[in-house]
Structures are given as structure tokens and as C-alpha cells.
Amino acid sequence: MKNIVYYIAIATVLLFASCASELDTEPSGSQVSDEQLGELIKENADLVLAPMMQGAVNYMHTGNRQATTNDRGFMVWNLGMDLQGNDMVLTKLTNWFADEYMFESIRAQTNAYTADRWYCYYKIVYQSNQILDLIPDDVTGKALVYKAQALTYRALAYYYLMCVYQDDYMHGGKDKAGVPLYLTVEGAKGRTPSTEVYSTITTDLQNAIALFEQEGYDPKSSTADIDQTVANMVLARVALTTGDYTTAANAAGAVISAGYSLMNEEQYTTSGFQSTSLPETIWGYTWAASTSLGNRSFASFMSITAVDNANNKGIYMAIDDQLYNQIAATDYRKKNFNATETTVGEFTYPAYSNVKFNTPTYEADEIYMRLSEAYLLKAEAEARGGNSSAAQQTLYDLVSKRDSGYAKSSNTGEALLKEIFLQSRIELWGEGHEFFTNKRFNVGVDRTASSNHTHKLVKAAGKEFTYQIPLSIELNSNPYINAADQNPL
């Protein structure tokens, strides 16, 4: 096959210029065949794949569809999703995220928001497939690490696509159409059955973990790269979503045993949760001037100090009072929220406003995954799998570190799952999990009893949390998906 690839362009020419003598290969203008790239990857995978993988992962921080203010990077995407729940309060309705918070037709096929999420997740799929397409089947060594990273990255994107664009697997989504499944860079396809999409995600993650282990990859060498702990975390989420509770518990357990440590009270209450040097950080973005988003970053929306540097003009993210009141007085996680209206200098922060993500400037790291989630996933998987005693112990191992007054639970069945759900809401508040956890637990939104939600509403669990496939960028251009294939509004 002599297909010509252009997407590496000048970088590839420079690479060949520097190592042509080693490979006895001459550069040919600005065009390089995939066979030539395959040979180069066999000789030195880092030269081709390292910049491609780095560029792909950088998209987690900088990615967007149309360069709008509230569409910049993974943490900001997930902030918009969090606001479609019970636990996060937008303190004024003039913020960039007001439409998401008020459910203003955001899931409709004509809305830009549903197009944004579709585009950004599929961009990750495309980037991953570019890398995978280049890696020959007979490679060895470091190239297999890049293959594992690309498989994991693609699986992550498909997990989010399935969570957003189809009903929860265990609550009606299993027998429905999933999203188009692309395992190579190719033309348009129709919707793939949900079972096939999830089966492929699971296989890709298991293969990635095996490759990481085979190559002896150090999961703690860097918090900026994708490794087996990232793959295991995604696998735990996927397996829990699809009802494979043994796999979920084992994958989450592998993360817990990888050598990360839970934060202590000082770290938890003063770090701002935006430092990749924290002992819980599994994967994240380390701030750099070259990739800084300035006042469009996650910190600019979440940190009360950074907000008052001018971006949101006194509009803060707060915790729902009902959830705040369920945090025990002996639990230091309560310190991450202002109990009452608080004035600091010229600024007045409303009651329940968060200081969890308080950093002095926009120039902050971002944590995509941290250890606490693994404990919660493991406990949930054990509880759903009928092993209440194991779930009680796993939950205790986490919560007792946060709450000096916490006694190991004696709950079983639904009561135990409700306790795990509550602890997930408290522990992971604002980190981009609520929308997805709510779908897995089949929980809707009901803000009517809240004292501080600025927009009260009720949304039943189910289709209200399943987005339509975007009209502008998919239905209008994909001949294999038509109106009959659309998710109901």
C-alpha cells in the first residue's frame, strides 16, 4: 500500500532529515508514505509517535470546537456537565454556563452544546486512530506503549460518547443503538449497537493494560501521560456501567495498589485541587505558558480568587445546601465550602460558595483523575456484586481518612449503595463526575427543596440526560444516520 499521509507534514520531513542516514531512506518532498513511517516507528518510535501522542493529550486541555469561552478543554467540558445536576449551584444566571445549568435545550440536535461534545470526543477518537493506523502489527518495544496509550485514549472518548449520547446501559441503553464506532481513520458509518461499542472499549482497555505491563511501563513516571492506572480507571468505569462488577472491582483495585496516596487534611483543604504534584494525582495537565488558556481555563471559573481577577465578575460555583448539610461536622471536606456569606476585602462570597478549587490565578494545573475515585468505584462494584462486607471496608478506607467520626458502615443492599452514592457526591464534587454518576444510578434532578439553587427544576432520570446526535456536524453530513436513528427529544 502506498497511501500518502500529510498530517505529520513538516515535522516528518525534519525527522527524516535527521535520521535518513540511519534508515538509508531519503526524504521525498513533503510527502511520506505510511510504509516509510512504519519503518521509522520500528527504528525509533519516539521520533514519530511522541509528538503525535503529546499533541493528542494536549487536546484534553486546549480542545474545543468553535473557540467559545466555555468550551475549552476536558475539565471545562465536564464543568458544563456537572451543572446539569443537583449538587453544583451557579450563583447568578448571567454566567457563560447558564444554558447548561438551566437545561436550555442543550441536548437538542440543533443546539451548539450537543455539537461541541460530539465533536470534541470524536476528535480524540480521530487522533487516537491516526496513531494506531501508523503502528505496524509487528512492532516491539516502546511503540507498544504508544499503542497502549492510543487504545486507552480512544476508549476514554468512546466511554464519554456512550454516556452522553445513549441511555445508561443498565437502564435501557443496552439494547439500543450506540455511536458510530471507528477503529481506523475512515469515512462515515452508522450507529453501532451499544453492546458492540462497549465490548470494543473493554477489549481495547484490557489489551492496553496487558501491553503496559508487558513493557514494564512505570505508572508513576509522570502524571502527564496515559498509563495502566489511567486504563484501569477507565475500565473500572466502563465495567461498572455495563454490570461487570468483578472486572470493575479488580480494575479499581489495581489503581489503589499502584502506589498513590490519599491526600491528608492540609492537602485536601488548601491545595485548590489543581496541582499534579498532589499524591492522589493519577493523570492531569501541568500548567505551561505555551498551553495556558488564561481566563478561559477551568480555574478561571472555579476559583473564587481567580474569578475576582475579572473573568466572571462575582459569579461563583457553590454547593447545594442540601448536600452541604449532609457532610458531617467531623468531616474536613466541609471546609472546602463557605458555610455563610463571607467578605474578603472588596469581595463578598455567597453562602456555600466553594473554596475547594481556590487558586490565586488562572495559571493552575488540572487533575483529570485521582485516587479517591478508584475507592468509590471499587466500593460500588463490590456492593452491586453482592459483597457488602468488602464494599463497607473499601468505603471505610476512604471516608475514615476524611471524617474522624466516620464508623464503618453496616448497611447492605440499596442502603449501602445510597451511602456510596452520597460519598461520591461529597468527595468528587466539582470534578466532572456527577452527570455520569447520576446516569449510572438512574437519578434525575430535583432542586425544588434547595435554599440556594438559583434555578429550581425537576428532570426525571432517563431521556432528559441523553443528548441528541447533532444535526449540523453529523446528521447533515453522514448518509448512514438519518432522522429515524435520532435519539428522542
Side-chain angles (χ1 to χ4, degrees):
M1 184 176 64
K2 292 294 181 184
N3 295 329
I4 303 299
V5 292
Y6 294 91
Y7 45 80
I8 301 182
I10 295 172
T12 303
V13 176
L14 293 174
L15 292 175
F16 266 82
S18 66
C19 57
S21 59
E22 177 184 346
L23 297 177
D24 193 25
T25 304
E26 292 296 326
S28 175
S30 62
Q31 299 178 350
V32 181
S33 71
D34 49 6
E35 284 86 351
Q36 289 174 306
L37 284 171
E39 289 303 312
L40 181 55
I41 288 169
K42 291 179 184 179
E43 292 291 330
N44 192 334
D46 288 336
L47 285 174
V48 176
L49 300 180
M52 292 184 73
M53 196 69 236
Q54 184 61 56
V57 172
N58 281 347
Y59 188 79
M60 286 282 284
H61 175 66
T62 60
N64 65 89
R65 181 175 76 94
Q66 52 185 359
T68 53
T69 296
N70 60 336
D71 184 34
R72 294 299 186 99
F74 180 73
M75 293 301 291
V76 176
W77 307 341
N78 283 349
L79 171 56
M81 304 306 290
D82 259 349
L83 283 163
Q84 298 164 55
N86 294 295
D87 299 338
M88 182 174 284
V89 175
L90 185 62
T91 58
K92 292 182 182 178
L93 301 181
T94 54
N95 182 273
W96 290 102
F97 293 95
D99 285 352
E100 292 92 310
Y101 180 63
M102 296 190 292
F103 286 75
E104 291 292 335
S105 302
I106 53 173
R107 52 181 288 271
Q109 64 177 7
T110 54
N111 193 281
Y113 194 79
T114 190
D116 291 344
R117 295 289 69 75
W118 183 274
Y119 176 92
C120 291
Y121 295 139
Y122 266 115
K123 178 76 170 183
I124 293 174
V125 170
Y126 178 77
Q127 291 170 322
S128 301
N129 282 339
Q130 280 187 313
I131 294 168
L132 291 167
D133 283 354
L134 284 179
I135 300 175
D137 292 336
D138 59 344
V139 294
T140 58
K142 186 62 178 295
L144 293 176
V145 172
Y146 290 113
K147 181 176 182 178
Q149 290 176 330
L151 287 170
T152 302
Y153 201 37
R154 185 174 70 185
L156 177 75
Y158 274 124
Y159 164 75
Y160 280 104
L161 282 163
M162 288 299 296
C163 287
V164 175
Y165 295 96
Q166 190 47 276
D167 298 341
D168 178 70
Y169 191 87
M170 300 296 287
H171 296 95
K174 178 181 178 180
D175 297 322
K176 295 180 180 178
V179 297
L181 182 64
Y182 300 100
L183 303 181
T184 185
V185 175
E186 57 184 314
K189 297 176 68 173
R191 299 187 72 170
T192 304
S194 290
T195 51
E196 183 178 342
V197 177
Y198 272 117
S199 175
T200 301
I201 294 171
T202 300
T203 299
D204 280 353
L205 290 168
Q206 291 171 334
N207 288 340
I209 292 164
L211 289 173
F212 282 126
E213 298 295 342
Q214 172 188 309
E215 296 305 310
Y217 196 67
D218 180 3
K220 297 190 70 180
S221 61
S222 172
T223 56
D225 67 354
I226 296 171
D227 55 40
Q228 54 266 54
T229 50
V230 175
N232 269 309
M233 189 76 89
V234 180
L235 180 59
R237 295 176 183 176
V238 170
L240 195 52
T241 299
T242 57
D244 185 355
Y245 304 130
T246 299
T247 295
N250 289 340
V255 176
I256 293 169
S257 62
Y260 299 92
S261 302
L262 291 171
M263 288 185 281
N264 58 34
E265 179 175 356
E266 180 181 4
Q267 292 164 331
Y268 200 100
T269 58
T270 65
S271 68
F273 274 76
Q274 295 181 79
S275 171
T276 53
S277 64
L278 291 168
E280 280 196 40
T281 305
I282 291 170
W283 186 30
Y285 159 79
T286 301
W287 185 89
S290 61
T291 50
S292 175
L293 296 178
N295 65 2
R296 297 182 180 187
S297 68
F298 179 70
S300 75
F301 297 109
M302 293 300 291
S303 168
I304 60 174
T305 308
V307 164
D308 285 329
N309 284 342
N311 190 34
N312 283 340
K313 299 180 176 60
I315 302 174
Y316 309 107
M317 303 295 177
I319 188 173
D320 171 41
D321 72 303
Q322 297 171 102
L323 179 57
Y324 178 84
N325 291 334
Q326 292 181 78
I327 305 174
T330 50
D331 190 332
Y332 62 66
R333 293 175 296 189
K334 203 158 191 167
K335 296 179 181 179
N336 280 343
F337 306 94
N338 288 316
T340 58
E341 184 176 274
T342 304
T343 299
V344 179
E346 62 181 300
F347 302 110
T348 298
Y349 307 126
Y352 310 112
S353 55
N354 97 89
V355 292
K356 176 177 179 177
F357 296 99
N358 198 23
T359 54
T361 72
Y362 308 139
E363 300 173 358
D365 300 351
E366 295 172 356
I367 299 174
Y368 302 147
M369 291 181 180
R370 65 183 181 93
L371 179 61
S372 293
E373 183 193 354
Y375 280 92
L376 293 161
L377 293 173
K378 184 172 183 286
E380 184 183 338
E382 289 165 339
R384 292 189 186 279
N387 193 346
S388 296
S389 60
Q392 293 161 0
Q393 184 62 50
T394 301
L395 191 63
Y396 179 80
D397 290 343
L398 171 66
V399 181
S400 64
K401 298 295 191 297
R402 312 299 191 212
D403 179 3
S404 60
Y406 182 76
K408 188 162 74 170
S409 177
S410 60
N411 287 326
T412 60
E414 285 301 313
L416 179 55
L417 283 171
K418 286 181 179 179
E419 183 176 358
I420 294 167
F421 180 60
L422 173 63
Q423 291 300 331
S424 296
R425 295 167 63 197
I426 296 169
E427 179 69 26
L428 301 175
W429 184 94
E431 297 179 49
H433 296 278
E434 187 190 354
F435 180 92
F436 307 101
T437 304
N438 283 352
K439 284 195 75 166
R440 193 171 65 246
F441 277 84
N442 201 36
V443 170
V445 170
D446 185 350
R447 302 173 183 165
T448 53
S450 170
S451 71
N452 68 322
H453 263 293
T454 54
H455 186 75
K456 294 180 172 59
L457 51 73
V458 176
K459 293 281 184 180
K463 72 171 187 175
E464 294 288 344
F465 301 92
T466 298
Y467 281 43
Q468 290 198 301
I469 297 171
L471 179 67
S472 59
I473 64 170
E474 190 65 25
L475 291 183
N476 284 344
S477 60
N478 187 342
Y480 303 105
I481 302 179
N482 55 44
D485 301 313
Q486 181 62 280
N487 297 326
L489 186 61

Short mmCIF file of all heavy atoms in Angstrom, two decimals, residues 39-64:
data_model
loop_
_atom_site.label_atom_id
_atom_site.label_comp_id
_atom_site.label_asym_id
_atom_site.label_seq_id
_atom_site.Cartn_x
_atom_site.Cartn_y
_atom_site.Cartn_z
N GLU A 39 8.39 1.98 9.07
CA GLU A 39 9.79 1.58 9.27
C GLU A 39 10.47 2.49 10.28
O GLU A 39 11.27 2.04 11.11
CB GLU A 39 10.53 1.60 7.94
CG GLU A 39 10.12 0.49 6.98
CD GLU A 39 10.29 -0.90 7.60
OE1 GLU A 39 11.36 -1.16 8.18
OE2 GLU A 39 9.34 -1.70 7.52
N LEU A 40 10.17 3.77 10.20
CA LEU A 40 10.77 4.70 11.16
C LEU A 40 10.30 4.40 12.58
O LEU A 40 11.08 4.46 13.54
CB LEU A 40 10.40 6.14 10.78
CG LEU A 40 10.96 7.24 11.68
CD1 LEU A 40 12.46 7.15 11.80
CD2 LEU A 40 10.54 8.61 11.17
N ILE A 41 9.02 4.07 12.72
CA ILE A 41 8.49 3.73 14.04
C ILE A 41 9.19 2.50 14.61
O ILE A 41 9.50 2.44 15.81
CB ILE A 41 6.97 3.51 13.96
CG1 ILE A 41 6.25 4.85 13.74
CG2 ILE A 41 6.42 2.83 15.21
CD1 ILE A 41 4.79 4.73 13.38
N LYS A 42 9.47 1.53 13.76
CA LYS A 42 10.19 0.33 14.22
C LYS A 42 11.58 0.68 14.71
O LYS A 42 12.08 0.09 15.68
CB LYS A 42 10.27 -0.70 13.10
CG LYS A 42 8.95 -1.33 12.72
CD LYS A 42 9.14 -2.32 11.57
CE LYS A 42 7.84 -2.90 11.09
NZ LYS A 42 8.02 -3.85 9.97
N GLU A 43 12.23 1.64 14.05
CA GLU A 43 13.58 2.01 14.42
C GLU A 43 13.62 2.93 15.65
O GLU A 43 14.46 2.78 16.52
CB GLU A 43 14.26 2.72 13.23
CG GLU A 43 14.53 1.82 12.05
CD GLU A 43 15.61 0.80 12.34
OE1 GLU A 43 16.51 1.10 13.14
OE2 GLU A 43 15.55 -0.30 11.78
N ASN A 44 12.72 3.89 15.67
CA ASN A 44 12.72 4.86 16.77
C ASN A 44 11.30 5.41 16.93
O ASN A 44 10.96 6.44 16.35
CB ASN A 44 13.71 5.99 16.50
CG ASN A 44 13.94 6.85 17.73
OD1 ASN A 44 13.08 6.95 18.60
ND2 ASN A 44 15.11 7.47 17.81
N ALA A 45 10.50 4.73 17.72
CA ALA A 45 9.09 5.09 17.87
C ALA A 45 8.92 6.50 18.42
O ALA A 45 7.97 7.21 18.05
CB ALA A 45 8.39 4.09 18.78
N ASP A 46 9.83 6.93 19.29
CA ASP A 46 9.69 8.24 19.91
C ASP A 46 9.67 9.37 18.89
O ASP A 46 8.95 10.36 19.06
CB ASP A 46 10.83 8.49 20.90
CG ASP A 46 10.71 7.64 22.15
OD1 ASP A 46 9.58 7.23 22.47
OD2 ASP A 46 11.73 7.39 22.81
N LEU A 47 10.45 9.24 17.83
CA LEU A 47 10.56 10.32 16.86
C LEU A 47 9.23 10.66 16.21
O LEU A 47 8.91 11.82 16.01
CB LEU A 47 11.60 9.96 15.79
CG LEU A 47 13.06 10.03 16.20
CD1 LEU A 47 13.96 9.52 15.10
CD2 LEU A 47 13.45 11.46 16.58
N VAL A 48 8.46 9.65 15.88
CA VAL A 48 7.17 9.89 15.22
C VAL A 48 6.03 9.96 16.22
O VAL A 48 5.19 10.86 16.17
CB VAL A 48 6.88 8.78 14.18
CG1 VAL A 48 5.49 8.97 13.57
CG2 VAL A 48 7.94 8.77 13.10
N LEU A 49 6.01 9.03 17.14
CA LEU A 49 4.81 8.87 17.98
C LEU A 49 4.78 9.77 19.20
O LEU A 49 3.69 10.14 19.66
CB LEU A 49 4.68 7.41 18.39
CG LEU A 49 4.53 6.42 17.23
CD1 LEU A 49 4.41 4.99 17.76
CD2 LEU A 49 3.34 6.77 16.35
N ALA A 50 5.94 10.14 19.73
CA ALA A 50 5.93 11.01 20.91
C ALA A 50 5.26 12.35 20.63
O ALA A 50 4.39 12.78 21.40
CB ALA A 50 7.36 11.20 21.44
N PRO A 51 5.62 13.07 19.55
CA PRO A 51 4.93 14.35 19.31
C PRO A 51 3.46 14.17 18.97
O PRO A 51 2.63 15.02 19.32
CB PRO A 51 5.71 14.96 18.14
CG PRO A 51 6.44 13.83 17.51
CD PRO A 51 6.73 12.87 18.59
N MET A 52 3.11 13.07 18.30
CA MET A 52 1.71 12.84 17.99
C MET A 52 0.91 12.58 19.26
O MET A 52 -0.19 13.11 19.44
CB MET A 52 1.58 11.66 17.02
CG MET A 52 2.12 11.91 15.63
SD MET A 52 1.83 10.51 14.53
CE MET A 52 0.06 10.65 14.25
N MET A 53 1.44 11.75 20.14
CA MET A 53 0.74 11.43 21.38
C MET A 53 0.65 12.65 22.28
O MET A 53 -0.39 12.91 22.90
CB MET A 53 1.46 10.28 22.10
CG MET A 53 0.62 9.61 23.18
SD MET A 53 -0.76 8.65 22.51
CE MET A 53 -2.14 9.41 23.35
N GLN A 54 1.73 13.43 22.34
CA GLN A 54 1.72 14.63 23.16
C GLN A 54 0.70 15.63 22.65
O GLN A 54 -0.05 16.24 23.41
CB GLN A 54 3.11 15.28 23.18
CG GLN A 54 3.22 16.49 24.10
CD GLN A 54 2.94 16.14 25.54
OE1 GLN A 54 3.59 15.26 26.10
NE2 GLN A 54 1.97 16.81 26.15
N GLY A 55 0.65 15.79 21.32
CA GLY A 55 -0.34 16.69 20.74
C GLY A 55 -1.76 16.24 21.02
O GLY A 55 -2.64 17.05 21.30
N ALA A 56 -1.97 14.92 20.95
CA ALA A 56 -3.30 14.38 21.23
C ALA A 56 -3.70 14.63 22.67
O ALA A 56 -4.82 15.08 22.96
CB ALA A 56 -3.34 12.89 20.90
N VAL A 57 -2.81 14.35 23.60
CA VAL A 57 -3.12 14.52 25.03
C VAL A 57 -3.27 16.00 25.37
O VAL A 57 -4.09 16.36 26.23
CB VAL A 57 -2.06 13.84 25.90
CG1 VAL A 57 -2.26 14.17 27.37
CG2 VAL A 57 -2.12 12.32 25.71
N ASN A 58 -2.52 16.87 24.71
CA ASN A 58 -2.68 18.31 24.95
C ASN A 58 -4.10 18.77 24.63
O ASN A 58 -4.58 19.76 25.20
CB ASN A 58 -1.68 19.11 24.11
CG ASN A 58 -0.29 19.12 24.71
OD1 ASN A 58 -0.09 18.75 25.86
ND2 ASN A 58 0.68 19.56 23.92
N TYR A 59 -4.75 18.07 23.72
CA TYR A 59 -6.12 18.42 23.36
C TYR A 59 -7.05 18.30 24.56
O TYR A 59 -8.08 19.00 24.61
CB TYR A 59 -6.60 17.52 22.21
CG TYR A 59 -7.93 17.92 21.62
CD1 TYR A 59 -8.02 18.97 20.72
CD2 TYR A 59 -9.10 17.25 21.97
CE1 TYR A 59 -9.24 19.35 20.18
CE2 TYR A 59 -10.32 17.62 21.43
CZ TYR A 59 -10.39 18.67 20.54
OH TYR A 59 -11.60 19.04 20.01
N MET A 60 -6.72 17.46 25.52
CA MET A 60 -7.53 17.35 26.73
C MET A 60 -7.64 18.70 27.43
O MET A 60 -8.64 19.00 28.07
CB MET A 60 -6.92 16.32 27.68
CG MET A 60 -7.11 14.89 27.27
SD MET A 60 -8.77 14.25 27.63
CE MET A 60 -8.69 14.00 29.40
N HIS A 61 -6.61 19.51 27.32
CA HIS A 61 -6.61 20.81 27.99
C HIS A 61 -7.09 21.93 27.08
O HIS A 61 -7.83 22.82 27.51
CB HIS A 61 -5.21 21.14 28.49
CG HIS A 61 -5.08 22.52 29.08
ND1 HIS A 61 -5.72 22.89 30.23
CD2 HIS A 61 -4.42 23.62 28.64
CE1 HIS A 61 -5.45 24.16 30.50
NE2 HIS A 61 -4.68 24.63 29.55
N THR A 62 -6.70 21.90 25.81
CA THR A 62 -6.95 23.03 24.92
C THR A 62 -8.11 22.81 23.95
O THR A 62 -8.53 23.73 23.27
CB THR A 62 -5.70 23.36 24.10
OG1 THR A 62 -5.36 22.21 23.30
CG2 THR A 62 -4.53 23.70 25.01
N GLY A 63 -8.61 21.57 23.84
CA GLY A 63 -9.55 21.22 22.80
C GLY A 63 -10.86 21.99 22.84
O GLY A 63 -11.39 22.29 23.90
N ASN A 64 -11.38 22.28 21.67
CA ASN A 64 -12.67 22.94 21.53
C ASN A 64 -13.16 22.78 20.10
O ASN A 64 -12.41 22.38 19.22
CB ASN A 64 -12.56 24.43 21.88
CG ASN A 64 -11.68 25.18 20.91
OD1 ASN A 64 -12.14 25.69 19.90
ND2 ASN A 64 -10.39 25.25 21.21
#
